[in-house]
Amino acid sequence: MQVFTRVATLQAWRKRLRGRPLALVPTMGALHDGHLALMKYALEEKYATLATIFVNPKQFNDANDLIKYPRPLAQDLHLLERLARVAVFVPPYDEIYPAQEASPRPIDLGHLTQQLEGSFRPGHFDGVIAVMTRLLDITQPEHLIMGQKDFQQTAIIDEMIRALALPIKLFVHHTLRETDGLAMSSRNQRLGPEARANAPAIYQVLKWAQQMKSEGRSPNDIVQSGEMLLLEKGFEVDYVGIVDALTLQDLTNWPDSSRSVMCIAATIGQVRLIDNMEL
Ligand code: AMP
C-alpha cells in the first residue's frame, strides 16, 4: 500500500495517475466500517482512491476533545491494507499548515456555518474549511467522498465547491449504523456500557420523527417531543433541529419541494454524539 507523509511525494504519485479520476476520502482516522464504506464506494466506481488521515487541530474547539481523540494509526493502516488499492496520506501538521505559506483567503459561508454544530462549536467549520481547502488544493481530486453522518459539513463543503467553482463532484454516502441503529463514530469507543446502551435513543428519535412527519405533526412539535425523549434517556441535549437541507434554516412548516433533515447533537456519558436523518 502506498503511504505518503509528504505533499511532494503525494503529488508525484498523483501525476502518475495521468487521466484516471481521483477520489479523495478525508478522515481523522480511528477508522470504522462507516469510513471504509466511503472508500469501498470509490473503489467500486474504479476511481484511484486516496484516504487521508489527519486529526485536524483547527476544527476542535475543545482542547480536551482533541487530546482524547483516538489515534490508532497502525490499526488504521492495517484496515486500509485489507481494502487493497487505497493510497493513504498521513501528513504531519506542518505539511497541512506550512508556516511560510499564507493561509488562503477564508471563504465566507456564514449562512451555513453559524447554526447547529456551528453554534455549539465556535470556529469548528472554519477549521473544516481550512483543512478541506488545503487537501483539495494538494490533491486536486475529481471526486470527493463524504458521509451523511456529518450532514452540515457536507452542506458546507458542497457550497464551498460551488462558490469557488471547483471541478469536483461531491458524493455523500449514507450513514453506516450499528445493528441497534447507533451511527458508527470514532467517538463511540469512549462510551461506557450504560451510555452505550442508551446511545441508540438518538436513532430511535430520528425514526420516530419520520413517522410523526408522515402523521402530519408539525416540525416544532416533533422537535420539542424529540428533545424530551432524549432528556428522559439521560442525554444532555445541545440541539434537536429540523432544517431545510440546503439552507440549514429551521423549518416551521413542511416544505413542498425541498428536503428536510432532522439533526441532533447530544451528550451521554461525557461523549458528544451527532446524527441526522432526512424526514
Ligand atoms: P471523520 O474521521 O469523523 O472526520 O469522518 C471522515 C468521513 O467519514 C466524513 O466524511 C464522515 O462523514 C464519514 N463518516 C463518519 N462516520 C460515518 C458513518 N457512520 N457512516 C458513513 N460515513 C461516516
Side-chain angles (χ1 to χ4, degrees):
M1 182 171 64
Q2 307 256 23
V3 182
F4 308 104
T5 55
R6 297 287 159 196
V7 170
T9 40
L10 172 69
Q11 287 181 326
W13 169 82
R14 207 252 170 275
K15 269 202 188 126
R16 290 199 299 276
L17 295 177
R18 304 221 161 74
R20 190 162 166 224
L22 174 68
L24 176 69
V25 187
T27 83
M28 298 204 298
L31 300 179
H32 50 66
D33 285 348
H35 296 117
L36 298 183
L38 273 50
M39 295 163 205
K40 284 179 190 163
Y41 167 81
L43 291 170
E44 277 160 18
E45 292 292 314
K46 306 270 186 282
Y47 303 145
T49 303
L50 177 71
T52 64
I53 298 178
F54 179 65
V55 181
N56 175 30
K58 291 198 181 188
Q59 71 186 69
F60 284 79
N61 54 309
D62 174 352
N64 213 17
D65 190 26
L66 175 60
I67 291 166
K68 284 197 202 148
Y69 204 84
R71 294 167 172 82
L73 183 60
Q75 185 185 314
D76 285 348
L77 293 178
H78 183 69
L79 283 173
L80 292 174
E81 203 142 18
R82 290 205 338 228
L83 274 188
R85 292 174 292 125
V86 171
V88 192
F89 182 44
V90 192
Y93 181 88
D94 61 352
E95 287 289 291
I96 295 295
Y97 301 118
Q100 71 279 15
E101 240 171 73
S103 311
R105 196 163 55 87
I107 166 166
D108 182 15
L109 299 172
H111 58 299
L112 300 177
T113 58
Q114 306 298 319
Q115 56 277 63
L116 301 170
E117 283 299 278
S119 63
F120 284 88
R121 303 185 66 189
H124 168 66
F125 287 119
D126 294 338
V128 170
I129 290 170
V131 76
M132 288 303 299
T133 306
R134 176 71 173 148
L135 287 174
L136 294 176
D137 187 44
I138 293 170
T139 59
Q140 306 275 320
E142 280 78 14
H143 301 273
L144 173 63
I145 321 290
M146 304 182 89
Q148 171 77 19
K149 163 79 168 43
D150 297 277
F151 159 69
Q152 188 175 9
Q153 174 171 276
T154 63
I156 289 167
I157 299 303
D158 197 24
E159 182 61 21
M160 180 179 114
I161 289 172
R162 217 187 337 262
L164 299 175
L166 302 176
I168 298 171
K169 285 202 188 94
L170 171 65
F171 178 80
V172 179
H173 195 289
H174 68 262
T175 301
L176 268 84
R177 300 180 179 279
E178 304 291 351
T179 46
D180 58 10
L182 176 65
M184 290 182 184
S185 164
S186 309
R187 288 189 171 84
N188 293 352
Q189 308 175 13
R190 288 173 32 214
L191 291 167
E194 197 186 336
R196 175 65 189 80
N198 284 323
I202 295 182
Y203 173 72
Q204 286 152 14
V205 167
L206 292 168
K207 292 297 287 179
W208 168 87
Q210 272 185 334
Q211 175 69 26
M212 290 302 106
K213 183 192 174 202
S214 72
E215 291 178 15
R217 293 261 297 267
S218 73
N220 234 335
D221 205 10
I222 297 177
V223 162
Q224 282 178 12
S225 307
E227 189 167 341
M228 286 301 295
L229 289 168
L230 291 173
L231 292 171
E232 279 164 19
K233 280 278 180 187
F235 284 86
E236 272 169 52
V237 179
D238 276 356
Y239 58 81
V240 175
I242 297 180
V243 299
D244 178 280
L246 290 180
T247 65
L248 306 186
Q249 295 301 312
D250 280 320
L251 290 174
T252 46
N253 295 304
W254 298 114
D256 293 330
S257 52
S258 56
R259 294 176 298 128
S260 48
V261 180
M262 186 173 196
C263 301
I264 295 178
T267 300
I268 191 144
Q270 295 181 16
V271 183
R272 187 173 183 278
L273 302 172
I274 62 168
D275 201 350
N276 69 85
M277 195 173 282
E278 188 168 332
L279 298 186

